[in-house]
Amino acid sequence: MGLLERLRPPLDDGAIIELYFARDERAIDETDKKYHKYLFTVSYNILGIKEDSDECINDTYALTWSKIPPERPSSLKAFITVIIRNISINKRRTQGRQKREQDSFEQSFEELEGLIGEVMVERELEASRLSGAINGFLETLDKRKRYIFISRYYMGESIDRIAQELSLSRSSVNKEIAAIKDELKAALEKEGYKI
Amino acid sequence: MKNEKFGDALDHIDYSFIEEYVEEKERLQKENRRKRLLKTAAPLAATFIVFFTVLGIVLGGNTVPLPSAPGDDFTGSMSYENIYVFEYGGKRYCAAFMNLSFNFGDKYLGDELGEIEATDNKGNTSSHKIFSSSLDTVDKEVFIEINGNYYPAYKSNKK
C-alpha cells in the first residue's frame, strides 16, 4: 500500500457494504483499514493471545464476505463486532483453560459466578430461556448501565478500560457493576431462577 | 459450568443492544479525544497568548508607525507580516498580523465591539472589526479581524 493510499481516509460503512455487494475484494481491504485495530482489541479482550486474535480477524473477514450479501447490515461495525466476538468466544471454548497474556474476559465471568443456581435442564434450552431473561433485564436498564453491562460481560472489557471511557474512577465503575448485578439477581429470581 | 451457561445466554443478546453499544462507544471515544485535545491545546493557547501579550507590550512602546517587522531576528515557523496599531476606548492596542497556517483567534472571540481604523507599520490605514476575548486567562485584551482571520491585540504601554 502506497503512502498516499495509507493517508486516504477510510471509506464510510455504506460504501464498504456496496463493495461487498459488488463482490469487490477491496471490501475486505477497506474493512481491514478501518476496523483492524478495533477488531483486534475485541478479540484480544476475549482470547488474550495475539496470534489467535489475528487468526480470528482473518476468519471474521471471511465470514463477513460470505454473509454480505445477502445481508445488508445497518451498522457494519456492529455486524463485525458480533462476528468477531462469536468467533473468538468459540475459539476460547475449544481451547479450554490456557495460559493467556491477559484475561479480563475470565475475570468478567467470575464476577457473575454464583448468580445462577444449578438448574438441571438441557443446555441449549436453558441458554435460550436465560438469554430471554437477560434481554428482558437489559431493556429495563438505562443506557449507561446497559453500556457497562455489554462492555463488561459481552465484550469482556477491563474495569480500567470502562472507567477510562466513561471518565469515571475504577471504584465508581465497580459500584455500578455491583448495582447491575443486584438488579440482575432480582430479575432472574423473578424469572424463577434459584440464586 | 455456571459461567458457560451465562456465556451461552450472552451469545444471544439482542442485536439492537450491540448496535447501541457500538454507537455509544464511538460517541464516547470522540468525546474523550476532544477532551484530550482541549487539555493539550488550552495551555498551549494560553502560553501563546501570554508570549504575544509580552511581545505586544514591548513592541507597543515603540513609535508609530512601527519600524519594520522584527521577523529578521525571529526564529521559528512564524514571521510577522505587519504590526497593526489602533486605539479603542481611549487605549492604544497593538496586534501582530502573523503568517500562520491556522486561524488562531476565532475560537476565543467574545462580543463584537465595533469597527476601528488601524495603521499598519507601513503607514497604511484600514478598517477592521474588533471583538472582546472569551478567554478567562486574558484580561482586557481584544481580538482584531485582519483579512478574515482574528488576532489578539495587546494594550500598548505607550499613551
Side-chain angles (χ1 to χ4, degrees), chain A residues 74-75 77 79 85 93 109 116 118 123 127 131 134-135 146-147 151 153-155 157 165 167, chain B residues 2-15 18-22 25-26 32 35:
Chain A
S74 54
S75 161
K77 193 173 179 181
F79 191 77
R85 191 258 180 198
R93 283 173 187 156
F109 264 158
I116 294 290
E118 291 298 321
R123 184 171 162 170
S131 70
I134 291 174
N135 279 325
R146 201 155 49 227
Y147 181 79
S151 297
Y153 301 122
Y154 184 79
M155 305 300 287
E157 288 184 8
E165 276 186 333
S167 305
Chain B
K2 292 172 186 177
N3 285 350
E4 280 182 17
K5 211 178 284 174
F6 245 120
D8 288 349
L10 288 171
D11 288 351
H12 304 289
I13 274 187
D14 197 294
Y15 183 64
I18 311 303
E19 282 186 320
E20 181 189 73
Y21 160 82
V22 163
K25 194 177 192 68
E26 274 187 358
N32 289 334
K35 278 185 196 163

mmCIF file of all heavy atoms in Angstrom, chain A residues 74-75 77 79 85 93 109 116 118 123 127 131 134-135 146-147 151 153-155 157 165 167, chain B residues 2-15 18-22 25-26 32 35:
data_model
loop_
_atom_site.group_PDB
_atom_site.id
_atom_site.type_symbol
_atom_site.label_atom_id
_atom_site.label_comp_id
_atom_site.label_asym_id
_atom_site.label_seq_id
_atom_site.Cartn_x
_atom_site.Cartn_y
_atom_site.Cartn_z
ATOM 1 N N SER A 74 -27.263 -2.606 8.949
ATOM 2 C CA SER A 74 -27.434 -1.153 9.085
ATOM 3 C C SER A 74 -26.185 -0.547 9.718
ATOM 4 O O SER A 74 -25.864 0.607 9.493
ATOM 5 C CB SER A 74 -28.673 -0.838 9.914
ATOM 6 O OG SER A 74 -28.597 -1.515 11.146
ATOM 7 N N SER A 75 -25.468 -1.354 10.511
ATOM 8 C CA SER A 75 -24.204 -0.891 11.081
ATOM 9 C C SER A 75 -23.147 -1.969 10.829
ATOM 10 O O SER A 75 -23.209 -3.050 11.416
ATOM 11 C CB SER A 75 -24.361 -0.644 12.585
ATOM 12 O OG SER A 75 -23.086 -0.629 13.216
ATOM 13 N N LYS A 77 -20.081 -1.924 11.675
ATOM 14 C CA LYS A 77 -19.246 -2.110 12.870
ATOM 15 C C LYS A 77 -19.918 -3.067 13.864
ATOM 16 O O LYS A 77 -19.267 -3.951 14.416
ATOM 17 C CB LYS A 77 -18.967 -0.758 13.530
ATOM 18 C CG LYS A 77 -17.873 -0.819 14.570
ATOM 19 C CD LYS A 77 -17.503 0.556 15.064
ATOM 20 C CE LYS A 77 -16.423 0.491 16.121
ATOM 21 N NZ LYS A 77 -16.061 1.810 16.630
ATOM 22 N N PHE A 79 -22.117 -5.300 13.088
ATOM 23 C CA PHE A 79 -22.179 -6.597 12.408
ATOM 24 C C PHE A 79 -20.873 -7.373 12.624
ATOM 25 O O PHE A 79 -20.883 -8.534 13.034
ATOM 26 C CB PHE A 79 -22.412 -6.334 10.911
ATOM 27 C CG PHE A 79 -22.760 -7.553 10.110
ATOM 28 C CD1 PHE A 79 -24.034 -8.103 10.156
ATOM 29 C CD2 PHE A 79 -21.815 -8.139 9.284
ATOM 30 C CE1 PHE A 79 -24.359 -9.217 9.392
ATOM 31 C CE2 PHE A 79 -22.118 -9.250 8.522
ATOM 32 C CZ PHE A 79 -23.401 -9.798 8.579
ATOM 33 N N ARG A 85 -16.678 -11.403 17.915
ATOM 34 C CA ARG A 85 -16.909 -11.806 19.307
ATOM 35 C C ARG A 85 -17.249 -13.304 19.353
ATOM 36 O O ARG A 85 -16.687 -14.054 20.145
ATOM 37 C CB ARG A 85 -18.044 -10.958 19.881
ATOM 38 C CG ARG A 85 -18.224 -11.070 21.379
ATOM 39 C CD ARG A 85 -19.384 -11.973 21.690
ATOM 40 N NE ARG A 85 -19.591 -12.116 23.128
ATOM 41 C CZ ARG A 85 -20.293 -13.097 23.647
ATOM 42 N NH1 ARG A 85 -20.862 -14.006 22.878
ATOM 43 N NH2 ARG A 85 -20.443 -13.197 24.939
ATOM 44 N N ARG A 93 -13.578 -21.374 23.763
ATOM 45 C CA ARG A 93 -14.215 -22.569 24.326
ATOM 46 C C ARG A 93 -13.501 -23.848 23.882
ATOM 47 O O ARG A 93 -13.373 -24.794 24.652
ATOM 48 C CB ARG A 93 -15.688 -22.615 23.908
ATOM 49 C CG ARG A 93 -16.527 -21.637 24.721
ATOM 50 C CD ARG A 93 -17.940 -21.531 24.223
ATOM 51 N NE ARG A 93 -18.653 -20.463 24.930
ATOM 52 C CZ ARG A 93 -19.705 -19.833 24.454
ATOM 53 N NH1 ARG A 93 -20.189 -20.123 23.260
ATOM 54 N NH2 ARG A 93 -20.289 -18.883 25.157
ATOM 55 N N PHE A 109 -16.425 -12.982 33.845
ATOM 56 C CA PHE A 109 -17.332 -14.090 34.127
ATOM 57 C C PHE A 109 -17.314 -14.484 35.595
ATOM 58 O O PHE A 109 -18.338 -14.853 36.164
ATOM 59 C CB PHE A 109 -16.981 -15.294 33.252
ATOM 60 C CG PHE A 109 -17.835 -15.357 32.015
ATOM 61 C CD1 PHE A 109 -17.420 -16.057 30.901
ATOM 62 C CD2 PHE A 109 -19.054 -14.710 31.960
ATOM 63 C CE1 PHE A 109 -18.199 -16.104 29.762
ATOM 64 C CE2 PHE A 109 -19.843 -14.753 30.833
ATOM 65 C CZ PHE A 109 -19.414 -15.456 29.728
ATOM 66 N N ILE A 116 -26.252 -17.743 39.058
ATOM 67 C CA ILE A 116 -27.163 -18.752 38.535
ATOM 68 C C ILE A 116 -27.025 -20.051 39.334
ATOM 69 O O ILE A 116 -25.933 -20.567 39.500
ATOM 70 C CB ILE A 116 -26.828 -19.050 37.049
ATOM 71 C CG1 ILE A 116 -27.111 -17.817 36.215
ATOM 72 C CG2 ILE A 116 -27.605 -20.238 36.531
ATOM 73 C CD1 ILE A 116 -28.568 -17.507 36.086
ATOM 74 N N GLU A 118 -27.692 -24.141 40.001
ATOM 75 C CA GLU A 118 -27.544 -25.294 39.113
ATOM 76 C C GLU A 118 -28.925 -25.829 38.720
ATOM 77 O O GLU A 118 -29.578 -26.518 39.482
ATOM 78 C CB GLU A 118 -26.733 -26.387 39.814
ATOM 79 C CG GLU A 118 -25.282 -26.018 40.021
ATOM 80 C CD GLU A 118 -24.547 -25.791 38.697
ATOM 81 O OE1 GLU A 118 -24.797 -26.538 37.724
ATOM 82 O OE2 GLU A 118 -23.740 -24.859 38.637
ATOM 83 N N ARG A 123 -28.976 -27.997 28.017
ATOM 84 C CA ARG A 123 -28.189 -26.761 27.973
ATOM 85 C C ARG A 123 -28.700 -25.731 26.954
ATOM 86 O O ARG A 123 -28.824 -24.555 27.251
ATOM 87 C CB ARG A 123 -26.734 -27.129 27.674
ATOM 88 C CG ARG A 123 -25.834 -25.929 27.698
ATOM 89 C CD ARG A 123 -24.393 -26.340 27.619
ATOM 90 N NE ARG A 123 -23.595 -25.197 27.215
ATOM 91 C CZ ARG A 123 -22.288 -25.162 27.224
ATOM 92 N NH1 ARG A 123 -21.613 -26.197 27.616
ATOM 93 N NH2 ARG A 123 -21.631 -24.092 26.826
ATOM 94 N N ALA A 127 -30.063 -22.073 27.866
ATOM 95 C CA ALA A 127 -29.402 -20.868 27.370
ATOM 96 C C ALA A 127 -30.411 -19.950 26.701
ATOM 97 O O ALA A 127 -30.381 -18.734 26.871
ATOM 98 C CB ALA A 127 -28.294 -21.242 26.392
ATOM 99 N N SER A 131 -31.224 -16.348 28.010
ATOM 100 C CA SER A 131 -30.946 -15.170 27.172
ATOM 101 C C SER A 131 -32.189 -14.296 27.047
ATOM 102 O O SER A 131 -32.090 -13.069 27.007
ATOM 103 C CB SER A 131 -30.410 -15.571 25.791
ATOM 104 O OG SER A 131 -31.413 -16.171 25.049
ATOM 105 N N ILE A 134 -32.215 -12.334 30.162
ATOM 106 C CA ILE A 134 -31.182 -11.281 30.153
ATOM 107 C C ILE A 134 -31.594 -10.133 29.225
ATOM 108 O O ILE A 134 -31.440 -8.965 29.559
ATOM 109 C CB ILE A 134 -29.807 -11.875 29.749
ATOM 110 C CG1 ILE A 134 -29.305 -12.804 30.864
ATOM 111 C CG2 ILE A 134 -28.790 -10.772 29.490
ATOM 112 C CD1 ILE A 134 -28.035 -13.552 30.541
ATOM 113 N N ASN A 135 -32.156 -10.475 28.054
ATOM 114 C CA ASN A 135 -32.618 -9.417 27.136
ATOM 115 C C ASN A 135 -33.713 -8.567 27.785
ATOM 116 O O ASN A 135 -33.706 -7.339 27.663
ATOM 117 C CB ASN A 135 -33.139 -10.028 25.834
ATOM 118 C CG ASN A 135 -32.001 -10.374 24.883
ATOM 119 O OD1 ASN A 135 -31.003 -9.673 24.818
ATOM 120 N ND2 ASN A 135 -32.145 -11.469 24.154
ATOM 121 N N ARG A 146 -26.578 -0.201 30.651
ATOM 122 C CA ARG A 146 -26.564 -1.215 29.586
ATOM 123 C C ARG A 146 -25.197 -1.236 28.911
ATOM 124 O O ARG A 146 -24.659 -2.275 28.585
ATOM 125 C CB ARG A 146 -27.669 -0.879 28.579
ATOM 126 C CG ARG A 146 -28.089 -2.055 27.742
ATOM 127 C CD ARG A 146 -29.494 -1.928 27.223
ATOM 128 N NE ARG A 146 -29.786 -0.659 26.598
ATOM 129 C CZ ARG A 146 -30.868 0.059 26.849
ATOM 130 N NH1 ARG A 146 -31.759 -0.376 27.707
ATOM 131 N NH2 ARG A 146 -31.070 1.206 26.253
ATOM 132 N N TYR A 147 -24.631 -0.029 28.722
ATOM 133 C CA TYR A 147 -23.310 0.077 28.090
ATOM 134 C C TYR A 147 -22.267 -0.632 28.958
ATOM 135 O O TYR A 147 -21.430 -1.377 28.457
ATOM 136 C CB TYR A 147 -22.926 1.548 27.892
ATOM 137 C CG TYR A 147 -21.590 1.720 27.231
ATOM 138 C CD1 TYR A 147 -21.468 1.577 25.851
ATOM 139 C CD2 TYR A 147 -20.437 1.963 27.974
ATOM 140 C CE1 TYR A 147 -20.237 1.689 25.230
ATOM 141 C CE2 TYR A 147 -19.212 2.080 27.360
ATOM 142 C CZ TYR A 147 -19.116 1.951 25.994
ATOM 143 O OH TYR A 147 -17.885 2.052 25.383
ATOM 144 N N SER A 151 -20.239 -3.914 27.825
ATOM 145 C CA SER A 151 -18.775 -3.774 27.796
ATOM 146 C C SER A 151 -18.119 -4.866 28.632
ATOM 147 O O SER A 151 -17.153 -5.496 28.213
ATOM 148 C CB SER A 151 -18.335 -2.430 28.373
ATOM 149 O OG SER A 151 -18.834 -1.385 27.607
ATOM 150 N N TYR A 153 -19.561 -7.761 30.243
ATOM 151 C CA TYR A 153 -19.920 -9.186 30.187
ATOM 152 C C TYR A 153 -20.054 -9.740 28.776
ATOM 153 O O TYR A 153 -19.918 -10.940 28.578
ATOM 154 C CB TYR A 153 -21.198 -9.440 30.997
ATOM 155 C CG TYR A 153 -21.017 -9.038 32.439
ATOM 156 C CD1 TYR A 153 -21.831 -8.093 33.047
ATOM 157 C CD2 TYR A 153 -19.973 -9.588 33.185
ATOM 158 C CE1 TYR A 153 -21.625 -7.712 34.363
ATOM 159 C CE2 TYR A 153 -19.753 -9.208 34.506
ATOM 160 C CZ TYR A 153 -20.583 -8.266 35.080
ATOM 161 O OH TYR A 153 -20.364 -7.879 36.377
ATOM 162 N N TYR A 154 -20.328 -8.889 27.815
ATOM 163 C CA TYR A 154 -20.422 -9.396 26.433
ATOM 164 C C TYR A 154 -19.078 -9.233 25.740
ATOM 165 O O TYR A 154 -18.613 -10.133 25.056
ATOM 166 C CB TYR A 154 -21.512 -8.633 25.677
ATOM 167 C CG TYR A 154 -21.765 -9.154 24.268
ATOM 168 C CD1 TYR A 154 -22.534 -10.296 24.055
ATOM 169 C CD2 TYR A 154 -21.252 -8.492 23.154
ATOM 170 C CE1 TYR A 154 -22.766 -10.768 22.767
ATOM 171 C CE2 TYR A 154 -21.486 -8.951 21.871
ATOM 172 C CZ TYR A 154 -22.242 -10.088 21.685
ATOM 173 O OH TYR A 154 -22.471 -10.545 20.408
ATOM 174 N N MET A 155 -18.450 -8.051 25.955
ATOM 175 C CA MET A 155 -17.180 -7.792 25.269
ATOM 176 C C MET A 155 -15.962 -8.151 26.131
ATOM 177 O O MET A 155 -14.848 -8.171 25.625
ATOM 178 C CB MET A 155 -17.084 -6.312 24.865
ATOM 179 C CG MET A 155 -18.243 -5.813 24.022
ATOM 180 S SD MET A 155 -18.437 -6.680 22.460
ATOM 181 C CE MET A 155 -17.056 -6.044 21.532
ATOM 182 N N GLU A 157 -14.486 -6.414 28.465
ATOM 183 C CA GLU A 157 -13.548 -5.291 28.649
ATOM 184 C C GLU A 157 -13.160 -5.142 30.120
ATOM 185 O O GLU A 157 -13.955 -5.454 31.010
ATOM 186 C CB GLU A 157 -14.171 -3.991 28.127
ATOM 187 C CG GLU A 157 -14.233 -3.978 26.619
ATOM 188 C CD GLU A 157 -14.757 -2.662 26.054
ATOM 189 O OE1 GLU A 157 -14.931 -1.715 26.824
ATOM 190 O OE2 GLU A 157 -15.001 -2.626 24.848
ATOM 191 N N GLU A 165 -13.134 5.093 29.555
ATOM 192 C CA GLU A 165 -14.089 5.535 28.531
ATOM 193 C C GLU A 165 -15.168 6.434 29.103
ATOM 194 O O GLU A 165 -15.583 7.402 28.475
ATOM 195 C CB GLU A 165 -14.760 4.322 27.880
ATOM 196 C CG GLU A 165 -13.946 3.712 26.772
ATOM 197 C CD GLU A 165 -14.686 2.612 26.054
ATOM 198 O OE1 GLU A 165 -15.557 1.971 26.661
ATOM 199 O OE2 GLU A 165 -14.361 2.384 24.872
ATOM 200 N N SER A 167 -14.948 8.225 31.784
ATOM 201 C CA SER A 167 -14.328 9.257 32.626
ATOM 202 C C SER A 167 -14.751 9.097 34.088
ATOM 203 O O SER A 167 -15.143 10.061 34.750
ATOM 204 C CB SER A 167 -14.689 10.665 32.132
ATOM 205 O OG SER A 167 -14.340 10.808 30.802
ATOM 206 N N LYS B 2 -21.398 -22.860 35.547
ATOM 207 C CA LYS B 2 -22.309 -21.720 35.671
ATOM 208 C C LYS B 2 -21.938 -20.658 34.639
ATOM 209 O O LYS B 2 -22.782 -20.070 33.992
ATOM 210 C CB LYS B 2 -22.203 -21.132 37.076
ATOM 211 C CG LYS B 2 -22.735 -22.014 38.163
ATOM 212 C CD LYS B 2 -22.392 -21.385 39.492
ATOM 213 C CE LYS B 2 -22.771 -22.320 40.639
ATOM 214 N NZ LYS B 2 -22.387 -21.757 41.921
ATOM 215 N N ASN B 3 -20.633 -20.461 34.507
ATOM 216 C CA ASN B 3 -20.140 -19.467 33.560
ATOM 217 C C ASN B 3 -20.542 -19.805 32.136
ATOM 218 O O ASN B 3 -20.927 -18.935 31.372
ATOM 219 C CB ASN B 3 -18.617 -19.380 33.630
ATOM 220 C CG ASN B 3 -18.176 -18.635 34.864
ATOM 221 O OD1 ASN B 3 -19.005 -18.051 35.537
ATOM 222 N ND2 ASN B 3 -16.895 -18.676 35.128
ATOM 223 N N GLU B 4 -20.418 -21.078 31.806
ATOM 224 C CA GLU B 4 -20.754 -21.494 30.439
ATOM 225 C C GLU B 4 -22.218 -21.211 30.132
ATOM 226 O O GLU B 4 -22.564 -20.812 29.042
ATOM 227 C CB GLU B 4 -20.436 -22.972 30.243
ATOM 228 C CG GLU B 4 -18.957 -23.196 29.988
ATOM 229 C CD GLU B 4 -18.612 -24.632 29.755
ATOM 230 O OE1 GLU B 4 -19.534 -25.420 29.477
ATOM 231 O OE2 GLU B 4 -17.423 -24.961 29.847
ATOM 232 N N LYS B 5 -23.048 -21.432 31.143
ATOM 233 C CA LYS B 5 -24.479 -21.199 30.959
ATOM 234 C C LYS B 5 -24.719 -19.713 30.651
ATOM 235 O O LYS B 5 -25.446 -19.360 29.736
ATOM 236 C CB LYS B 5 -25.213 -21.603 32.236
ATOM 237 C CG LYS B 5 -26.600 -22.104 31.990
ATOM 238 C CD LYS B 5 -27.228 -22.519 33.286
ATOM 239 C CE LYS B 5 -26.685 -23.857 33.755
ATOM 240 N NZ LYS B 5 -27.159 -24.224 35.087
ATOM 241 N N PHE B 6 -24.077 -18.888 31.408
ATOM 242 C CA PHE B 6 -24.192 -17.452 31.172
ATOM 243 C C PHE B 6 -23.610 -17.086 29.808
ATOM 244 O O PHE B 6 -24.175 -16.291 29.059
ATOM 245 C CB PHE B 6 -23.447 -16.667 32.261
ATOM 246 C CG PHE B 6 -24.371 -15.844 33.094
ATOM 247 C CD1 PHE B 6 -24.454 -16.060 34.451
ATOM 248 C CD2 PHE B 6 -25.166 -14.867 32.525
ATOM 249 C CE1 PHE B 6 -25.326 -15.329 35.236
ATOM 250 C CE2 PHE B 6 -26.027 -14.127 33.298
ATOM 251 C CZ PHE B 6 -26.113 -14.363 34.664
ATOM 252 N N GLY B 7 -22.472 -17.700 29.496
ATOM 253 C CA GLY B 7 -21.809 -17.433 28.222
ATOM 254 C C GLY B 7 -22.714 -17.768 27.055
ATOM 255 O O GLY B 7 -22.864 -16.980 26.121
ATOM 256 N N ASP B 8 -23.348 -18.931 27.117
ATOM 257 C CA ASP B 8 -24.267 -19.335 26.049
ATOM 258 C C ASP B 8 -25.403 -18.332 25.921
ATOM 259 O O ASP B 8 -25.820 -17.959 24.823
ATOM 260 C CB ASP B 8 -24.876 -20.718 26.351
ATOM 261 C CG ASP B 8 -23.842 -21.830 26.186
ATOM 262 O OD1 ASP B 8 -22.760 -21.532 25.652
ATOM 263 O OD2 ASP B 8 -24.126 -22.964 26.607
ATOM 264 N N ALA B 9 -25.924 -17.889 27.075
ATOM 265 C CA ALA B 9 -27.060 -16.963 27.052
ATOM 266 C C ALA B 9 -26.649 -15.613 26.475
ATOM 267 O O ALA B 9 -27.392 -15.007 25.703
ATOM 268 C CB ALA B 9 -27.603 -16.791 28.463
ATOM 269 N N LEU B 10 -25.439 -15.174 26.816
ATOM 270 C CA LEU B 10 -24.974 -13.875 26.324
ATOM 271 C C LEU B 10 -24.746 -13.890 24.806
ATOM 272 O O LEU B 10 -24.805 -12.851 24.158
ATOM 273 C CB LEU B 10 -23.682 -13.461 27.040
ATOM 274 C CG LEU B 10 -23.852 -13.037 28.503
ATOM 275 C CD1 LEU B 10 -22.496 -12.872 29.178
ATOM 276 C CD2 LEU B 10 -24.629 -11.738 28.618
ATOM 277 N N ASP B 11 -24.477 -15.085 24.256
ATOM 278 C CA ASP B 11 -24.301 -15.191 22.799
ATOM 279 C C ASP B 11 -25.554 -14.715 22.064
ATOM 280 O O ASP B 11 -25.494 -14.345 20.897
ATOM 281 C CB ASP B 11 -24.050 -16.655 22.388
ATOM 282 C CG ASP B 11 -22.665 -17.116 22.805
ATOM 283 O OD1 ASP B 11 -21.876 -16.266 23.247
ATOM 284 O OD2 ASP B 11 -22.389 -18.323 22.689
ATOM 285 N N HIS B 12 -26.689 -14.784 22.737
ATOM 286 C CA HIS B 12 -27.951 -14.452 22.070
ATOM 287 C C HIS B 12 -28.513 -13.103 22.500
ATOM 288 O O HIS B 12 -29.716 -12.876 22.398
ATOM 289 C CB HIS B 12 -28.971 -15.567 22.332
ATOM 290 C CG HIS B 12 -28.485 -16.910 21.901
ATOM 291 N ND1 HIS B 12 -28.352 -17.244 20.576
ATOM 292 C CD2 HIS B 12 -28.033 -17.966 22.620
ATOM 293 C CE1 HIS B 12 -27.857 -18.473 20.504
ATOM 294 N NE2 HIS B 12 -27.649 -18.936 21.723
ATOM 295 N N ILE B 13 -27.637 -12.244 22.969
ATOM 296 C CA ILE B 13 -28.100 -10.890 23.323
ATOM 297 C C ILE B 13 -28.670 -10.209 22.085
ATOM 298 O O ILE B 13 -28.136 -10.375 20.976
ATOM 299 C CB ILE B 13 -26.926 -10.072 23.917
ATOM 300 C CG1 ILE B 13 -26.821 -10.348 25.402
ATOM 301 C CG2 ILE B 13 -27.093 -8.584 23.678
ATOM 302 C CD1 ILE B 13 -25.824 -9.479 26.118
ATOM 303 N N ASP B 14 -29.734 -9.483 22.280
ATOM 304 C CA ASP B 14 -30.419 -8.825 21.165
ATOM 305 C C ASP B 14 -29.447 -7.929 20.375
ATOM 306 O O ASP B 14 -28.705 -7.137 20.962
ATOM 307 C CB ASP B 14 -31.570 -7.985 21.722
ATOM 308 C CG ASP B 14 -32.563 -7.625 20.643
ATOM 309 O OD1 ASP B 14 -32.196 -6.861 19.725
ATOM 310 O OD2 ASP B 14 -33.689 -8.133 20.724
ATOM 311 N N TYR B 15 -29.473 -8.055 19.053
ATOM 312 C CA TYR B 15 -28.539 -7.328 18.173
ATOM 313 C C TYR B 15 -28.660 -5.805 18.346
ATOM 314 O O TYR B 15 -27.675 -5.074 18.224
ATOM 315 C CB TYR B 15 -28.808 -7.737 16.729
ATOM 316 C CG TYR B 15 -27.886 -7.118 15.708
ATOM 317 C CD1 TYR B 15 -26.518 -7.395 15.728
ATOM 318 C CD2 TYR B 15 -28.377 -6.268 14.725
ATOM 319 C CE1 TYR B 15 -25.659 -6.839 14.796
ATOM 320 C CE2 TYR B 15 -27.523 -5.707 13.788
ATOM 321 C CZ TYR B 15 -26.174 -5.994 13.824
ATOM 322 O OH TYR B 15 -25.329 -5.431 12.896
ATOM 323 N N ILE B 18 -26.262 -4.422 20.729
ATOM 324 C CA ILE B 18 -24.873 -4.350 20.226
ATOM 325 C C ILE B 18 -24.726 -3.092 19.362
ATOM 326 O O ILE B 18 -23.721 -2.391 19.442
ATOM 327 C CB ILE B 18 -24.494 -5.608 19.409
ATOM 328 C CG1 ILE B 18 -24.860 -6.888 20.159
ATOM 329 C CG2 ILE B 18 -23.014 -5.597 19.032
ATOM 330 C CD1 ILE B 18 -24.240 -7.010 21.541
ATOM 331 N N GLU B 19 -25.752 -2.824 18.555
ATOM 332 C CA GLU B 19 -25.716 -1.602 17.723
ATOM 333 C C GLU B 19 -25.626 -0.370 18.621
ATOM 334 O O GLU B 19 -24.849 0.548 18.370
ATOM 335 C CB GLU B 19 -26.975 -1.524 16.853
ATOM 336 C CG GLU B 19 -26.902 -2.446 15.645
ATOM 337 C CD GLU B 19 -28.081 -2.254 14.704
ATOM 338 O OE1 GLU B 19 -29.218 -2.083 15.198
ATOM 339 O OE2 GLU B 19 -27.881 -2.277 13.487
ATOM 340 N N GLU B 20 -26.429 -0.379 19.681
ATOM 341 C CA GLU B 20 -26.423 0.752 20.612
ATOM 342 C C GLU B 20 -25.059 0.876 21.296
ATOM 343 O O GLU B 20 -24.506 1.976 21.417
ATOM 344 C CB GLU B 20 -27.506 0.537 21.678
ATOM 345 C CG GLU B 20 -27.599 1.666 22.686
ATOM 346 C CD GLU B 20 -28.521 1.319 23.845
ATOM 347 O OE1 GLU B 20 -28.127 0.493 24.707
ATOM 348 O OE2 GLU B 20 -29.634 1.864 23.883
ATOM 349 N N TYR B 21 -24.475 -0.260 21.663
ATOM 350 C CA TYR B 21 -23.159 -0.273 22.334
ATOM 351 C C TYR B 21 -22.086 0.313 21.408
ATOM 352 O O TYR B 21 -21.294 1.167 21.817
ATOM 353 C CB TYR B 21 -22.816 -1.721 22.721
ATOM 354 C CG TYR B 21 -21.354 -1.955 22.972
ATOM 355 C CD1 TYR B 21 -20.777 -1.633 24.197
ATOM 356 C CD2 TYR B 21 -20.530 -2.478 21.975
ATOM 357 C CE1 TYR B 21 -19.426 -1.836 24.416
ATOM 358 C CE2 TYR B 21 -19.186 -2.683 22.181
ATOM 359 C CZ TYR B 21 -18.636 -2.355 23.405
ATOM 360 O OH TYR B 21 -17.292 -2.542 23.613
ATOM 361 N N VAL B 22 -22.084 -0.127 20.149
ATOM 362 C CA VAL B 22 -21.077 0.328 19.183
ATOM 363 C C VAL B 22 -21.203 1.835 18.951
ATOM 364 O O VAL B 22 -20.217 2.568 18.918
ATOM 365 C CB VAL B 22 -21.236 -0.467 17.854
ATOM 366 C CG1 VAL B 22 -20.525 0.205 16.714
ATOM 367 C CG2 VAL B 22 -20.717 -1.886 18.029
ATOM 368 N N LYS B 25 -20.047 3.679 22.061
ATOM 369 C CA LYS B 25 -18.589 3.592 22.191
ATOM 370 C C LYS B 25 -17.931 4.637 21.285
ATOM 371 O O LYS B 25 -17.002 5.326 21.688
ATOM 372 C CB LYS B 25 -18.120 2.188 21.805
ATOM 373 C CG LYS B 25 -16.691 1.898 22.211
ATOM 374 C CD LYS B 25 -16.339 0.472 21.857
ATOM 375 C CE LYS B 25 -15.043 0.056 22.507
ATOM 376 N NZ LYS B 25 -15.122 -0.047 23.966
ATOM 377 N N GLU B 26 -18.431 4.751 20.060
ATOM 378 C CA GLU B 26 -17.876 5.742 19.121
ATOM 379 C C GLU B 26 -18.065 7.149 19.666
ATOM 380 O O GLU B 26 -17.176 7.984 19.590
ATOM 381 C CB GLU B 26 -18.547 5.613 17.750
ATOM 382 C CG GLU B 26 -17.863 4.562 16.906
ATOM 383 C CD GLU B 26 -18.373 4.502 15.483
ATOM 384 O OE1 GLU B 26 -19.292 5.250 15.123
ATOM 385 O OE2 GLU B 26 -17.843 3.665 14.731
ATOM 386 N N ASN B 32 -13.910 11.742 24.262
ATOM 387 C CA ASN B 32 -12.646 11.644 25.006
ATOM 388 C C ASN B 32 -11.485 12.224 24.211
ATOM 389 O O ASN B 32 -10.594 12.848 24.777
ATOM 390 C CB ASN B 32 -12.359 10.192 25.397
ATOM 391 C CG ASN B 32 -13.302 9.718 26.484
ATOM 392 O OD1 ASN B 32 -13.812 10.520 27.257
ATOM 393 N ND2 ASN B 32 -13.562 8.430 26.538
ATOM 394 N N LYS B 35 -11.772 15.942 24.538
ATOM 395 C CA LYS B 35 -11.323 16.378 25.865
ATOM 396 C C LYS B 35 -9.802 16.389 25.950
ATOM 397 O O LYS B 35 -9.211 17.309 26.490
ATOM 398 C CB LYS B 35 -11.885 15.427 26.940
ATOM 399 C CG LYS B 35 -13.302 15.724 27.351
ATOM 400 C CD LYS B 35 -13.691 14.800 28.491
ATOM 401 C CE LYS B 35 -15.193 14.776 28.685
ATOM 402 N NZ LYS B 35 -15.631 13.642 29.483
#
